[in-house]
Amino acid sequence: MKSSHRSRRLKRHYSRMHKTGGLNLVSLMDIFTILVFFLMVNSSDVKVLQNTTDVPLPISTAEQQAVENLTVQVSGQSILVQGREVARLDSIGADDTTIAGLSEELSWRRDRLESVPDQGLPVTIMAGRDTDYRLLRKIMQTCVDERFRQVRLAVEPEVRRG
């Protein structure tokens, strides 16, 4: 059956107006792109060392900002490098001058680099206030032996009351 011009026009109009809606992702992608650039630009301003509550850092009046580099942490009964356990404190002998697991991990990380500067590589040691100095000295000696000579100790800034 042949339909009239008016009925075809109404049918076309009805089919155009009653289509199922589509999802337009262009504006959503624009928002996420802006958000990514915003976060990338502003993330470089904040220097926060990853710390856990079980490592109470010593308090200091140092004015220098924290530098983000390789982190060695003494936490509980273990030594962690970038959050990965490399040695247990009970396995370290009293006569040892270096720590074997820490030495292996630092050596592996150093060998992955193309070149090592003459002044050595930077490392930050996070140890609690009550950490034994002999253990801290062994950790620092191990770092120096593996050419991580720019040793920094992480501290908590002193709260100044005005």
Side-chain angles (χ1 to χ4, degrees):
M1 170 183 231
K2 201 169 190 182
S3 56
S4 69
H5 180 66
R6 182 172 184 245
S7 66
R8 283 185 301 215
R9 184 177 53 84
L10 287 174
K11 188 177 179 183
R12 208 172 38 239
H13 176 71
Y14 181 80
S15 66
R16 196 178 321 141
M17 296 312 246
H18 294 300
K19 283 184 180 175
T20 57
L23 185 60
N24 187 358
L25 296 177
V26 173
S27 58
L28 185 64
M29 288 173 33
D30 289 344
I31 291 171
F32 280 121
T33 304
I34 292 169
L35 185 64
V36 165
F37 284 119
F38 175 77
L39 292 174
M40 284 175 47
V41 168
N42 290 327
S43 68
S44 64
D45 294 342
V46 179
K47 301 258 194 302
V48 177
L49 290 175
Q50 188 177 17
N51 190 9
T52 58
T53 56
D54 61 338
V55 182
L57 295 176
I59 296 174
S60 173
T61 58
E63 297 287 328
Q64 287 182 319
Q65 292 291 323
V67 177
E68 201 169 317
N69 54 26
L70 186 68
T71 304
V72 176
Q73 184 177 6
V74 181
S75 176
Q77 286 297 311
S78 58
I79 297 175
L80 310 167
V81 175
Q82 295 297 103
R84 185 172 156 253
E85 183 176 326
V86 294
R88 302 280 304 162
L89 297 184
D90 51 10
S91 68
I92 301 170
D95 297 333
D96 295 343
T97 56
T98 61
I99 301 166
L102 178 61
S103 178
E104 291 171 11
E105 179 71 19
L106 293 176
S107 173
W108 180 78
R109 288 182 182 269
R110 184 196 65 229
D111 291 342
R112 290 181 57 208
L113 300 173
E114 291 180 20
S115 65
V116 177
D118 293 336
Q119 69 269 22
L121 297 166
V123 64
T124 301
I125 299 174
M126 295 177 71
R129 295 181 201 120
D130 55 349
T131 303
D132 185 32
Y133 178 71
R134 288 174 286 214
L135 174 62
L136 196 56
R137 190 174 64 196
K138 289 177 186 181
I139 293 172
M140 289 193 295
Q141 184 62 50
T142 304
C143 291
V144 169
D145 289 348
E146 293 301 328
R147 298 177 64 189
F148 284 84
R149 296 186 185 120
Q150 296 179 31
V151 179
R152 294 180 178 93
L153 297 175
V155 293
E156 195 75 35
E158 184 178 51
V159 178
R160 293 186 181 168
R161 298 186 183 170

